[in-house]
Amino acid sequence: MTVDRLNELLFAGALILLLAVAAVRLTSRTGLPSLLLYLAIGIALGEGGFGVDFSDAELTQVIGYAALVVILAEGGLSTRWRDIRPAIPSAAVLATLGVGVSVGVTAAAAHFLVGLAWTPALLMGAVVSSTDAAAVFSVLRRVPLPRRLTGTLEAESGFNDAPVIILVVAFSDPHHTTTWYVLLGVMALELAIGLVIGLLVGRVGALALRHVALPASGLYPIAVLGFCVLAYAGGALAHGSGFLAVYVAALMLGNAGLPHGPATRGFADAVAWVAQIGLFVLLGLLVNTGALWPALVPALVVGGVLTLVARPLSVVLCLLPFRRGWREQALLSWAGLRGAVPIVLAIIPVVGGVEDSERIFSIVFVLVVVYTLVQGPTLPWLARRLRITDDEQTVDVDIESAPLDRLRGHLLSVAIPSASRMHGVEVRELRLPAQAAVTLVVRGGTSFVPEPSTALRRGDELLVIATDEVRDATERRLLAVGRGGKLAGWLGQRGSTGLRRPRE
């Protein structure tokens, strides 16, 4: 590596990155997930296009794991606990029992319809049974769904990577002779270790960042991402599920009310975009385009069984105890999008030299492309046809906290979105704790000190000063008023009417 070579790589990398950013704009207009264009960029750069020779599957696997850590961390940081908490039981069943159903049905199709031996067929079923968080989130942003549905999809896509990766690694071991019940025990143990480490790192990280005032605001996003990576590495080194650990830790950190929360989520979102772009371009470079056409028919067959039989069957069986209506089950069945995760997982048997591994990779690649083209753009249409969209969903006020170390307090920046019920509420009706006050209102580019009778409006930005003792209570109260309006209960334990009356 020389400086001249570095300059060439930086030039090419910057052009690819800018092209990928422009692709996001295009896909947002067409409704297609951007991953397809990223894959196309990689294929165009490969031997069939500009002639870049890249065939290092092991390096791609390593980079893919690193990218998945960042993507899962961003997913956990941006997921609201109150949205997914009611859906945790159903999502957990879908991510475990549902994965087992999908693996079994898809493996049977790969064996009897495509002609794979049972071990490669089981491997195929495990690889494609994981829904992709990045693909699901990118599509869900375009259609407002009830929180119970979005919570289920978000939690499932965050949880199911862990058990699927354990299965893929086990089936990719050429010396694998473990019986199914021992494999289930190992999987349960690894998931438990990952869960405990994720909870531990998330708790320690939240306590540390809430009580230590860092000298620069830019250090908070770096520290949060560092704790997330620490959770993954700790879980993996402890022979647990590092992917479950990083998602759980990020979920805790993202809902802990940390200082500079919006800035942290913005930083994680940017890093996750870079990870996605780099990963998909690399996967496009790795694929052998000559092997894609022979894989088209098997991919259509396996993908058809997965989409129309395995996924709906797993949803129906797993949601029986939760009494979900058929409309919700239909949407959950169609929303099982695949993305980078199955393609990355398909590299594991290639590296291990498993029988038919290269054919499996080609089939998975084509399957992801074809069924993403089918499912992604039609999901919003299906939600509208099923009449389960939630156009009046209330959006939380956006609160960013900056610690005031010497004053033993916090400066809260509160943005009121258009769907917030804080619109029309007077400052005195916020009923903030005694050691908190609204000090400034920014409206239409003009700043002013509010009176107690000042009515807040959509689009306003507030500056609220709160001491350390009441900072959490102040945030809860502001969130509660944003959800329930002026009738929200004291300190916003639930943020709706029907709560105990406030103390005068």
Side-chain angles (χ1 to χ4, degrees), residues 184-194 239-241:
L184 288 180
V186 172
M187 182 186 301
L189 178 60
E190 291 190 16
L191 293 176
I193 293 173
H239 301 287
S241 173

Side-chain angles (χ1 to χ4, degrees), residues 234-424:
L237 291 174
H239 301 287
S241 173
F243 290 101
L244 180 60
V246 66
Y247 183 76
V248 171
L251 187 62
M252 293 189 65
L253 290 167
N255 289 272
L258 299 179
H260 304 289
T264 298
R265 289 189 291 272
F267 175 78
D269 186 48
V271 176
W273 273 111
V274 174
Q276 290 181 56
I277 292 170
L279 174 58
F280 289 130
V281 171
L282 198 61
L283 292 172
L285 275 172
L286 182 67
V287 69
N288 179 12
T289 54
L292 296 183
W293 284 113
L296 178 59
V297 172
L300 292 176
V301 172
V302 174
V305 173
L306 172 67
T307 304
L308 301 178
V309 181
R311 172 68 179 182
L313 181 62
S314 66
V315 169
V316 170
L317 292 178
C318 293
L319 296 185
L320 277 177
F322 303 100
R323 300 181 182 275
R324 296 289 186 93
W326 70 268
R327 289 185 177 88
E328 292 189 7
Q329 293 184 23
L331 187 69
L332 290 170
S333 300
W334 195 247
L337 302 178
R338 272 69 192 171
V341 174
I343 303 178
V344 172
L345 295 183
I347 300 175
I348 297 176
V350 174
V351 174
V354 178
E355 176 188 0
D356 284 334
S357 58
E358 293 187 0
R359 186 186 181 200
I360 291 173
F361 179 81
S362 300
I363 293 174
V364 171
F365 191 95
V366 176
L367 185 154
V368 168
V369 171
V370 171
Y371 284 92
T372 300
L373 277 171
V374 174
Q375 291 176 271
T378 57
L379 183 58
W381 171 84
L382 180 63
R384 290 190 293 269
R385 292 288 295 177
L386 293 174
R387 298 179 181 177
I388 53 178
T389 57
D390 188 3
D391 296 324
E392 298 181 356
Q393 189 179 85
T394 301
V395 178
D396 275 344
V397 295
D398 195 0
I399 302 176
E400 181 167 2
S401 172
L404 304 173
D405 194 27
R406 295 183 180 179
L407 300 180
R408 296 181 56 79
H410 286 263
L411 175 64
L412 307 180
S413 175
V414 184
I416 304 178
S418 58
S420 174
R421 292 180 181 172
M422 195 177 286
H423 175 75

Side-chain angles (χ1 to χ4, degrees), residues 16 38 41 69 82 98 109 137 157 173 210 247 251 287 293 349 351 391 398 402 422 426 440 479 503:
I16 293 172
Y38 302 155
I41 292 172
V69 170
R82 70 181 182 88
F137 293 161
S157 62
D173 184 358
R210 286 173 64 88
Y247 183 76
L251 187 62
V287 69
W293 284 113
V351 174
D391 296 324
D398 195 0
M422 195 177 286
E426 296 181 2
L440 195 70
L479 289 171
R503 300 173 184 172

Side-chain angles (χ1 to χ4, degrees), residues 75-118:
L77 290 172
S78 62
T79 299
R80 293 172 179 168
W81 174 245
R82 70 181 182 88
D83 289 345
I84 71 167
R85 180 173 56 186
I88 289 293
S90 57
V93 176
L94 281 171
T96 51
L97 177 61
V99 163
V101 173
S102 292
V103 170
V105 174
T106 308
H111 177 70
F112 292 109
L113 302 180
V114 178
L116 291 176
W118 271 116

Side-chain angles (χ1 to χ4, degrees), residues 18-65:
L18 292 174
L19 181 61
V21 171
V24 177
R25 178 64 175 173
L26 176 63
T27 55
S28 65
R29 290 178 175 271
T30 60
L32 295 176
S34 55
L35 68 92
L36 297 179
L37 286 181
Y38 302 155
L39 289 173
I41 292 172
I43 293 174
L45 291 173
E47 292 184 4
F50 286 92
V52 177
D53 183 14
F54 181 80
S55 58
D56 194 335
E58 189 170 1
L59 176 61
T60 305
Q61 178 187 345
V62 172
I63 295 176
Y65 268 49

